[in-house]
């Protein structure tokens, strides 16, 4: 036994790193003589790892038992990571404190989409570089921070703007571009992608095949950015020359082909699109799409199925996916599945016809957030915002009754939808109440500051400042103070804090705001005063029917030219040199120069004097009543009748 191990050790000393097959054969020969030799088993595992035979290495580790796994714990963790078990790999690596285990745990956490933990490890390693290459750590940390942005955890990223060092290598420039794209900074992302492409193409130590492999993800991102910017022709041209590396089962290859087909303007065949998207990815090991990529790919597939008129199959597939979730769920994947399921039941119809098909589904799944929001939108599109508001209020009130559903009840997206409905209907009181409840809940619930909560706090603070209730004003002060503590450089929070409590404003807060002189530098006060004041409608109804007018100032008519009268409106005896009679617009009998003629006219004029008594003339119309006559019998005419 000892001689065999000694011969194996002697053989390993004589072999080079390129001779891994010889090492493996020697280890297998030695294990035939001593099956339970842990040292030889360890050598075999290392040789299999060097040959990229990860499944065989995992089988050898399992065959060796706990003794081999304890001896080769680093290799065991790495094999689990490479065979698609990142959570188990991270757990094994976490039990050891050596630097090599920290690298394995960081990679496994990244693959397991535990991006905060991966970022924490890489920051610790970067603080004490040791024997590691600083450039490699910068690349890995940049990739983790980009994934934090994609996963909606960008508030934990410490560096938003790329440094000069990030622009010196194509890997770091690419990671910086991905972070910018995830934040919605598409023009900045396009610039960084061009920089990354230029750096990659200029490398001399990479072969042409390696360059094509590195340029593939860069090109895919460029196509995506151009499509998002509306430059479809450029995206299609770039996709047409896309050089997809022929690696079977590659998720990158599949995404490249999907993007190429998505931006293509020449193919409008939904059945061909459906056939492409149905091709299996066949992922293996670490070559798998991340969750946000998988969600987008599945949504593409369902959208293609709907275009291909596969309504029943899409409805059943989305129903199965929703059955795996605990509803209500605000996860983007499951809410999108609810929307697709509604579209399948409606058979791509909209308006009232779609509502007839979707409302029965809502009765069966009343806690489906995506389905509820779809019905709300259809109500709004059909001109029935009252029904939309009532449905959403009922849904949120039902969620509020269960403590487990409070996170979904006060989700910023749902609160924002209800607030938008209130605002469009001019209902300020329930609007303030909804924002106050949501802000109070999250301030008690969590101290973490996500982008969604930041927007919610800002909207709540702004609305509560206009409320007349003291409790709302106090809550607004607390919200803006919290926002200012989280980010002292946030000018919106500083302005809100100053507006809510001006007596407590510090010089630093005042200095962070834009000076009033700069804000008013482009405003001409005299021109505004000369233009007058605009009159606003007093109500929403008058706003729809009235035309906005502008009051003229008193000096508007000064120096204006008098209008010329038309000849048809000038009297024959008109003399422009004489002053017109100011009473010319009054009736003749109402003028001061009027003198009545005759007994009737004088009697009528006498009635106009104070204290006059009416005798025989009525004052209203001037007509004389019939004079009473004695009763005289008329003679009967011949041939007549009484």
């Amino acid at each position: 036994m000892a001689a065999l191990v000694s011969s194996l050790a002697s053989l390993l000393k004589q072999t080079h790193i390129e001779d891994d097959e010889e090492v493996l054969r020697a280890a297998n020969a030695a294990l035939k003589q001593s099956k339970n030799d842990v040292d030889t088993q360890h050598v075999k595992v290392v040789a299999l790892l060097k040959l990229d035979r990860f499944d065989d290495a995992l089988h050898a580790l399992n065959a060796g038992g706990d003794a081999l796994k304890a001896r080769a714990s680093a290799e065991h963790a790495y094999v689990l990571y490479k065979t698609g078990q990142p959570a188990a790999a991270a757990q094994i690596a976490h039990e050891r404190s050596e630097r090599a285990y920290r690298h394995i745990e960081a990679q496994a956490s990244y693959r397991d989409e535990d991006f905060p933990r991966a970022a924490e490890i890489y920051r610790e390693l970067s603080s004490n570089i040791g024997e590691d290459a600083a450039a490699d750590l910068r690349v890995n940390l940049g990739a983790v921070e980009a994934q934090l942005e994609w996963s909606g955890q960008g508030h934990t990223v410490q560096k938003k703007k790329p440094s000069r060092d990030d622009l010196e290598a194509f890997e770091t420039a690419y990671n910086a571009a991905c972070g910018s794209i995830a934040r919605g900074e598409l023009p900045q992302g396009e610039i960084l992608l061009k920089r990354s492409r230029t750096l990659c193409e200029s490398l001399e130590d990479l072969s042409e095949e390696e360059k094509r492999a590195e340029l593939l993800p860069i090109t895919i991102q460029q196509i995506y950015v151009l499509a998002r910017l509306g430059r479809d022709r450029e995206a299609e041209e770039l996709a047409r020359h896309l050089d997809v590396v022929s690696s079977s089962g590659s998720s990158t290859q599949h995404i490249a082909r999907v993007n190429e087909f998505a931006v293509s303007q020449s193919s409008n065949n939904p059945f061909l699109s459906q056939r492409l998207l149905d091709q299996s990815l066949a992922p293996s090991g670490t070559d798998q799409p991340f969750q946000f990529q998988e969600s987008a790919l599945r949504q593409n597939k369902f959208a293609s199925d709907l275009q291909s008129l596969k309504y029943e199959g899409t409805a059943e597939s989305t129903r199965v996916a929703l059955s795996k979730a605990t509803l209500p769920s605000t996860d983007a994947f499951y809410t999108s599945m609810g929307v697709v399921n509604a579209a399948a039941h409606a058979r791509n119809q909209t308006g009232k016809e779609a509502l007839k098909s979707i409302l029965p589904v809502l009765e069966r799944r009343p806690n489906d957030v995506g389905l509820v929001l779809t019905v709300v939108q259809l109500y709004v599109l059909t001109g029935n915002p009252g029904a939309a508001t009532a449905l959403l209020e009922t849904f949120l009130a039902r969620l509020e009754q269960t403590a487990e559903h409070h996170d979904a009840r006060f989700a910023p997206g749902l609160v924002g939808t209800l607030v938008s409905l209130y605002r469009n209907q001019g209902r300020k009181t329930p609007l303030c109440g909804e924002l106050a409840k949501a802000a109070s809940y999250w301030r008690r619930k969590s101290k973490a500051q996500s982008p969604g909560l930041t927007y919610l706090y800002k909207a709540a603070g702004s609305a509560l400042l206009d409320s007349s209730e003291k409790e709302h004003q106090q809550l607004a002060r607390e919200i803006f103070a919290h926002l200012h503590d989280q980010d002292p450089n946030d000018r919106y929070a500083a302005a809100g804090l100053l507006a809510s409590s001006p007596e407590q404003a510090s010089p630093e807060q005042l200095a962070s705001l834009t000076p009033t002189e700069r804000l008013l530098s482009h405003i001409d006060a005299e021109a505004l005063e000369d233009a007058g004041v605009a009159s606003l409608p007093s109500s929403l109804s008058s706003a729809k029917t009235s035309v906005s007018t502008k009051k003229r100032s008193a000096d508007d008519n000064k120096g204006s030219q008098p209008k010329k009268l038309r000849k048809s409106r000038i009297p024959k005896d008109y003399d422009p040199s004489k002053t017109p009679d100011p009473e010319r617009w009054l009736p003749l009998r109402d003028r001061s120069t009027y003198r009545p003629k005759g007994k009737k006219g004088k009697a009528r004029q006498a009635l106009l004097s104070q204290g006059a008594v009416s005798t025989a003339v009525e004052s209203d119309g001037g007509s004389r009543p019939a004079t009473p006559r004695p009763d005289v019998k008329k003679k009967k005419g011949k041939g007549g009748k009484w």
Side-chain angles (χ1 to χ4, degrees):
M1 175 73 65
L4 183 60
V5 174
S6 177
S7 61
L8 177 61
S10 176
L11 176 62
L12 293 178
K13 290 180 181 180
Q14 298 175 5
T15 57
H16 300 286
I17 193 170
E18 294 84 7
D19 228 1
D20 297 318
E21 289 288 352
E22 289 294 333
V23 174
L24 180 60
R25 282 195 291 269
N28 287 331
L31 288 174
K32 290 181 180 179
Q33 302 296 328
S34 177
K35 185 177 181 180
N36 297 325
D37 185 8
V38 177
D39 292 333
T40 307
Q41 291 174 341
H42 190 187
V43 170
K44 179 180 178 180
V45 170
V46 173
L48 290 171
L49 289 179
K50 290 181 177 294
L51 294 171
D52 292 340
R53 295 169 57 178
F54 303 111
D55 291 331
D56 294 337
L58 181 60
H59 178 72
L61 283 165
N62 292 331
D66 294 339
L68 177 59
K69 292 179 180 179
R71 171 72 178 271
S73 57
E75 290 81 357
H76 185 204
Y78 186 71
V79 166
L80 291 174
Y81 160 71
K82 296 297 290 187
T83 54
Q85 304 178 58
Q91 182 178 359
I92 293 175
H94 183 71
E95 297 175 355
R96 302 288 294 269
S97 60
E98 291 86 340
R99 195 174 183 86
Y101 289 91
R102 298 280 69 74
H103 279 283
I104 297 176
E105 183 184 1
Q107 292 184 7
S109 300
Y110 177 83
R111 184 62 264 180
D112 195 37
E113 302 191 34
D114 187 1
F115 304 121
R117 176 57 182 165
E120 178 184 355
I121 296 174
Y122 280 126
R123 291 189 184 112
E124 292 177 357
L125 295 174
S126 300
S127 62
N128 183 17
I129 296 178
E131 298 180 358
D132 295 328
D136 293 341
L137 290 176
R138 191 182 304 114
V139 169
N140 293 343
L141 182 57
V144 173
E145 290 182 340
Q147 292 290 3
L148 285 171
E149 297 283 0
W150 282 113
S151 61
Q153 304 176 74
H155 58 283
T156 62
V157 176
Q158 297 180 356
K159 185 178 66 174
K160 297 287 186 179
K161 296 182 179 180
S163 62
R164 180 175 298 179
D165 294 336
D166 295 332
L167 303 179
E168 294 179 353
F170 80 92
E171 298 98 331
T172 52
Y174 174 75
N175 290 334
C178 291
S180 298
I181 296 169
R183 290 190 296 269
E185 303 169 357
L186 299 180
Q188 176 71 13
E190 183 185 10
I191 295 173
L192 292 172
L193 286 173
K194 290 181 179 179
R195 174 67 175 174
S196 177
R197 171 180 285 275
T198 303
L199 292 172
C200 182
E201 292 175 343
S202 62
L203 289 177
E204 298 180 354
D205 55 345
L206 293 181
S207 64
E208 292 299 323
E209 183 178 356
E210 291 173 338
K211 286 184 180 180
R212 286 196 299 269
E214 296 292 349
L215 287 173
L216 178 61
I218 300 175
T219 307
I220 294 174
Q221 289 288 29
Q222 285 182 306
I223 295 172
Y224 173 77
V225 170
L226 291 173
R228 286 282 305 275
L229 291 174
R231 293 152 61 180
D232 296 333
R233 291 186 178 179
E234 297 180 44
E236 184 179 6
E237 183 66 21
L238 188 60
R240 188 179 296 113
H241 297 88
L242 187 65
D243 186 10
V244 179
V245 180
S246 58
S247 56
S248 60
S250 170
S251 60
T252 303
Q253 178 185 3
H254 182 78
I255 294 172
R257 295 194 181 280
V258 169
N259 286 358
E260 179 183 2
F261 194 86
V263 300
S264 176
Q265 302 294 326
S266 58
S267 177
N268 295 320
N269 189 339
F271 299 98
L272 181 61
S273 174
Q274 188 265 339
R275 178 183 177 184
L276 171 67
L277 296 177
D278 275 350
Q279 293 179 356
S280 176
L281 287 177
S284 61
T286 58
D287 186 19
Q288 299 178 6
F290 288 99
Q291 184 175 0
F292 74 93
Q293 294 174 317
E294 179 67 25
S295 177
L297 291 173
R298 293 191 67 176
Q299 291 180 43
N300 285 342
K301 179 183 181 304
F302 287 132
S304 177
D305 290 343
L306 289 176
Q307 292 178 351
S308 302
L309 309 182
K310 295 185 176 182
Y311 301 125
E312 289 78 6
T314 304
E316 179 62 20
S317 299
T318 51
R319 185 196 65 79
V320 173
L322 288 169
S323 64
K324 299 178 182 179
T326 302
L327 301 179
S329 173
T330 56
D331 184 87
F333 174 76
Y334 292 111
T335 54
S336 64
M337 289 299 99
V339 176
V340 174
N341 184 268
H345 282 91
R347 294 178 174 268
N348 286 344
Q349 297 182 99
T350 58
K352 295 182 180 180
E353 296 298 327
L355 283 172
K356 292 180 181 179
S357 304
I358 297 176
L359 287 177
V361 183
L362 182 61
E363 294 179 359
R364 298 194 296 268
R365 291 204 312 273
N367 289 337
D368 189 340
V369 176
L371 189 59
V372 171
L373 292 178
T374 302
V375 176
V376 167
Q377 185 178 17
L378 289 174
Y379 274 135
V380 173
L381 293 177
T382 54
N384 196 354
T389 306
L391 173 64
L392 191 54
E393 286 177 337
T394 304
F395 174 65
L396 296 181
R398 186 170 64 251
L399 297 185
E400 198 167 354
Q401 296 176 359
T402 306
E404 298 177 354
H405 299 161
H406 281 185
D407 285 356
R409 159 64 182 90
F410 295 106
L414 291 176
V415 173
T417 303
L418 184 58
V419 167
S420 298
L421 292 172
Y422 284 149
R423 181 177 290 110
N424 291 336
Q425 299 173 44
R427 301 172 60 183
K428 294 184 179 180
T429 301
L431 184 150
C432 292
E434 179 66 20
L435 288 173
K437 287 198 302 183
S440 299
Y441 171 78
W442 287 113
R443 292 189 67 238
R444 296 191 307 267
K445 172 74 176 180
S446 174
K447 295 182 180 180
Q449 193 74 6
S450 64
L453 289 182
T454 300
Y455 297 143
L456 175 63
Y457 287 149
K458 290 182 177 180
S462 178
L464 296 177
L465 278 178
D466 297 333
S467 177
S468 58
E469 298 184 13
K470 294 183 178 179
E471 296 180 357
H472 288 174
Q473 295 178 1
Q474 177 62 26
L475 181 58
R477 284 192 289 270
E478 295 176 359
I479 289 174
F480 283 119
H482 171 71
L483 291 174
H484 188 267
D485 293 339
Q486 293 289 332
D487 187 4
N489 298 323
D490 190 343
R491 293 185 176 182
Y492 192 97
L497 186 59
L498 178 61
S500 60
S501 55
E503 68 283 353
Q504 300 179 1
S506 62
E508 293 78 9
Q509 295 173 0
L510 295 175
S512 65
L513 301 178
T514 304
T516 307
E517 293 78 8
R518 187 186 303 175
L519 294 174
L520 302 178
S521 60
H522 64 285
I523 298 177
D524 190 348
E526 294 182 358
L528 291 176
E529 186 176 358
D530 294 339
V533 181
S535 60
L536 299 176
S538 58
S539 62
L540 293 176
S541 59
S542 62
K544 296 179 181 179
T545 57
S546 64
V547 180
S548 61
T549 59
K550 181 182 72 175
K551 291 185 179 180
R552 295 183 180 179
S553 60
D555 298 335
D556 282 351
N557 295 327
K558 289 184 179 181
S560 60
Q561 295 292 336
K563 295 182 179 180
K564 293 183 179 181
L565 297 176
R566 290 177 293 182
K567 292 183 179 181
S568 60
R569 306 197 63 179
I570 299 176
K572 294 181 180 180
D573 56 349
Y574 174 70
D575 187 358
S577 62
K578 295 182 180 180
T579 303
D581 183 8
E583 296 181 351
R584 65 187 182 278
W585 308 110
L586 299 176
L588 288 175
R589 66 174 178 271
D590 293 337
R591 300 181 187 180
S592 60
T593 58
Y594 174 70
R595 295 294 180 267
K597 297 179 181 181
K599 293 181 179 180
K600 293 181 180 180
K602 292 180 180 179
R604 186 184 306 160
Q605 184 69 16
L607 290 175
L608 300 177
S609 60
Q610 187 175 2
V613 180
S614 176
T615 56
V617 181
E618 292 289 342
S619 61
D620 55 352
S623 60
R624 178 183 291 182
T627 303
R629 295 182 181 182
D631 188 9
V632 179
K633 293 183 180 180
K634 294 184 178 181
K635 294 183 180 180
K636 179 181 179 183
K638 294 182 180 181
K641 295 183 179 180
W642 291 99

